């Protein structure tokens, strides 16, 4: 599948575009995911979407999964893109929707470790959401396998 690929979809008269995240991004590092899991544990009391380090925006921010810096999206002032260009830190998680972007692959990405990170993020962003025991068991099993 091409990087950043998607497909046009239609539901009745409504048309849209579905993005297919890349599942084989070579830039994801387990140690970065582990560090971000730990950081998310400390963010439980933080009001999302955080604050951009550069412009102090609280709109549509991303967290760098390499250094854990928080920067605004390309739709605000583009500080996360600038951070990537200056540092080559490739992977970032959106505080808006929990999606994960790889700048080197130029694509949204997904994998089992990233999905577990997104689940943890979602439980922080939506603390009153469904905290089913099956999800907790899955998260516990995965975290033990990574020795988080």
């Amino acid at each position: 599948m091409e990087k950043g690929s998607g497909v046009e979809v239609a539901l009745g008269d409504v048309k849209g575009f579905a993005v297919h995240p890349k599942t084989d991004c070579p830039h994801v590092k387990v140690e970065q995911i582990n560090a971000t899991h730990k950081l998310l544990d400390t963010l439980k009391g933080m009001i999302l979407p955080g604050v951009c380090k550069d412009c102090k925006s609280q709109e549509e921010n991303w967290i760098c999964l390499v250094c854990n810096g928080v920067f605004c999206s390309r739709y605000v002032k583009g500080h996360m893109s600038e951070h990537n260009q200056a540092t080559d830190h490739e992977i970032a998680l959106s505080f808006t929707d929990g999606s994960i972007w790889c700048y080197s692959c130029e694509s949204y990405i997904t994998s089992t470790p990233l999905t577990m990170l997104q689940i943890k993020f979602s439980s922080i962003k939506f603390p009153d959401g469904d905290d089913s025991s099956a999800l907790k068991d899955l998260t516990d099993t995965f975290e033990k396998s990574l020795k988080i």
Side-chain angles (χ1 to χ4, degrees), residues 15 54 82 126:
K15 290 186 178 181
D54 291 344
E82 290 175 9
F126 305 106

Side-chain angles (χ1 to χ4, degrees), residues 58-112:
Q58 293 184 343
E59 298 178 36
E60 203 168 327
N61 288 324
W62 292 70
I63 185 168
C64 173
L65 297 190
V66 177
C67 70
N68 294 322
V70 175
F71 300 93
C72 64
S73 81
R74 62 185 171 178
Y75 299 112
V76 180
K77 293 189 178 178
H79 290 129
M80 183 54 82
S81 290
E82 290 175 9
H83 173 71
N84 163 257
Q85 291 170 2
T87 64
D88 288 328
H89 293 175
E90 295 127 333
I91 312 291
L93 180 140
S94 167
F95 280 161
T96 302
D97 64 5
S99 61
I100 299 176
W101 179 261
C102 176
Y103 284 92
S104 292
C105 293
E106 296 181 8
S107 180
Y108 288 102
I109 58 173
T110 191
S111 67
T112 301

